[in-house]
Amino acid sequence: MVPDFAWPWALLALPVPWLAMRFLPVAPQRLQAALRVPYARAFEAMRASADRSRRPRLRRWLPLLGWLLLCIAAARPQQLGEIVQPPHSGRDLLLAVDLSGSMRQEDMRLGGTSVDRLTAIKAVLGDFLSRRVGDRVGLILFGTQAYAVTPLTWDRESVRQQLRSSEVGLAGQNTAIGDAIALAVKRLRVQPKQPGAASTRVLVLLTDGVNNAGAIEPLKAADVAAAEHLRIYTIGFGGDGQADPLLGFALPTQGDSVDEQTLRTIAQRTGGRFFRARDTEALAGIYAELDRVEPALRAGRIERPRTELYPWPLAAALLLGVLLIGAPAISMRRGIA
């Protein structure tokens, strides 16, 4: 099999020795020797003996052969294997998190401490992201408006950092569920769909309220998502306005009830599921269930194994260099002897 060259332009240096001999001026010969030695007659005898042999011709061609080998080594000859395209297992997964004003209610327990809903979501989602090895994950934050904070990426740590830096009310105080779904469809539409693999497109939407903002109705957005083969898992999160213990007294919270019927319909129309989480333990169990979503195989990058061959011509050129350097010294010693 003929080797391929990674840097074939290096072969353009092949005619450099010929160009040097053809166009560079010949160095003038001195009429008088610059160095007088007592054994000059031995040198003359050695030169005459070399002229009568074929060694000068061989020594003239060996440097050219060495230059040829160096140029070949510089061009990086490679032996190419068969083309392979290994499959890549994973999903295109978007997370849509509600940042409306109701998310600041402190009706969640985390590590024995009362925390607001968004803090609880950050803790559970951070662990969920750490398990999504091989998935491309993106993040949408929504309130009165919906914003795509991170595009689909394999860098799950960047998604985690963006989630950690989010704050309640960052996208407005209301809840635009329909706009969040529409934005997810727009983001995923540009991704190529694998035949028969609808589960490669997944949206996990988490909210604690009712759609009361935005330009698109949630059910209409769900129909568009179903047409684009986007599977939506909806999660209703919150403690339903339960009391928080404070100094032994129960103080009622303001609570927006979750629109379970709308969230359930969205999930049904897109082939997903609806979950209800009233505490962090239930939310963690839901994300553990989502970990078992069937993965789809996507074709990976085309690869072709390469075996580098440049060490062989490079070693041959170095060997010729050693011979060219050592041969005159050996001849000199023989002539003096």
Side-chain angles (χ1 to χ4, degrees):
M1 186 179 293
V2 179
D4 188 28
F5 293 97
W7 300 333
W9 46 264
L11 298 176
L12 296 176
L14 282 173
V16 169
W18 179 83
L19 293 174
M21 291 185 295
R22 178 69 176 81
F23 296 103
L24 291 181
V26 179
Q29 296 183 354
R30 298 184 179 180
L31 299 178
Q32 187 175 2
L35 178 65
R36 295 181 180 274
V37 294
Y39 42 82
R41 293 181 179 179
F43 277 116
E44 293 295 334
M46 181 179 63
R47 180 185 300 175
S49 176
D51 291 340
R52 289 191 299 269
S53 65
R54 296 183 179 179
R55 291 179 182 175
R57 182 181 301 175
L58 182 62
R59 291 177 186 172
R60 182 177 61 185
W61 287 104
L62 282 181
L64 297 178
L65 178 60
W67 179 255
L68 172 64
L69 292 172
L70 285 176
C71 290
I72 293 176
R76 282 185 61 194
Q78 299 173 334
Q79 189 72 45
L80 302 181
E82 296 295 331
I83 297 177
V84 294
Q85 192 173 16
H88 180 80
S89 178
R91 311 168 184 85
D92 287 338
L93 177 67
L94 275 176
L95 302 173
V97 179
D98 187 355
L99 294 184
S100 61
S102 57
M103 293 294 289
R104 64 169 53 95
Q105 294 189 35
E106 297 186 4
D107 57 354
M108 294 291 115
R109 304 284 297 179
L110 187 63
T113 305
S114 295
V115 297
D116 60 79
R117 295 176 179 178
L118 182 58
T119 300
I121 289 172
K122 291 179 181 180
V124 176
L125 269 181
D127 182 63
F128 175 71
L129 286 172
S130 66
R131 301 193 300 268
R132 309 305 292 188
V133 179
D135 287 359
R136 291 195 303 177
V137 183
L139 179 63
I140 292 176
L141 301 177
F142 68 96
T144 307
Q145 293 87 26
Y147 301 97
V149 180
T150 59
L152 287 171
T153 176
W154 280 286
D155 185 5
R156 292 169 289 127
E157 182 59 31
S158 66
V159 179
R160 187 183 290 108
Q161 291 295 336
Q162 290 291 342
L163 179 63
R164 287 175 183 171
S165 62
S166 62
E167 298 292 340
V168 174
L170 186 65
Q173 299 296 321
N174 297 322
T175 306
I177 297 176
D179 286 5
I181 296 174
L183 182 58
V185 172
K186 180 179 179 181
R187 288 293 178 178
L188 291 171
R189 181 176 290 167
V190 297
Q191 303 299 324
K193 176 184 175 295
Q194 297 299 316
S199 61
T200 56
R201 298 163 176 256
V202 176
L203 170 65
V204 179
L205 186 143
L206 189 148
T207 181
D208 69 339
V210 180
N211 184 80
N212 55 13
I216 303 176
E217 291 294 327
L219 296 184
K220 291 183 179 180
D223 291 336
V224 176
E228 294 292 332
H229 303 283
L230 170 61
R231 180 177 296 177
I232 302 178
Y233 293 88
T234 55
I235 303 175
F237 184 62
D240 287 335
Q242 295 177 356
D244 285 336
L246 179 64
L247 300 177
F249 297 96
L251 300 179
T253 61
Q254 320 173 292
D256 287 346
S257 59
V258 176
D259 188 356
E260 296 186 12
Q261 183 58 44
T262 298
L263 296 180
R264 184 177 287 106
T265 304
I266 291 172
Q268 290 174 350
R269 290 188 181 183
T270 59
R273 290 177 57 186
F274 166 72
F275 301 94
R276 184 68 172 93
R278 291 178 172 83
D279 52 39
T280 54
E281 289 76 12
L283 184 60
I286 290 171
Y287 281 114
E289 177 68 21
L290 291 177
D291 277 336
R292 291 188 284 273
V293 175
E294 180 184 358
L297 294 179
R298 291 200 304 267
R301 294 184 304 174
I302 295 178
E303 299 177 357
R304 194 170 189 179
R306 298 173 183 266
T307 302
E308 296 287 350
L309 302 178
Y310 73 88
W312 297 101
L314 182 60
L318 292 177
L319 180 59
L320 284 178
V322 171
L323 292 176
L324 289 173
I325 294 173
I330 296 174
S331 299
M332 187 190 312
R333 290 180 182 178
R334 289 179 178 178
I336 295 175

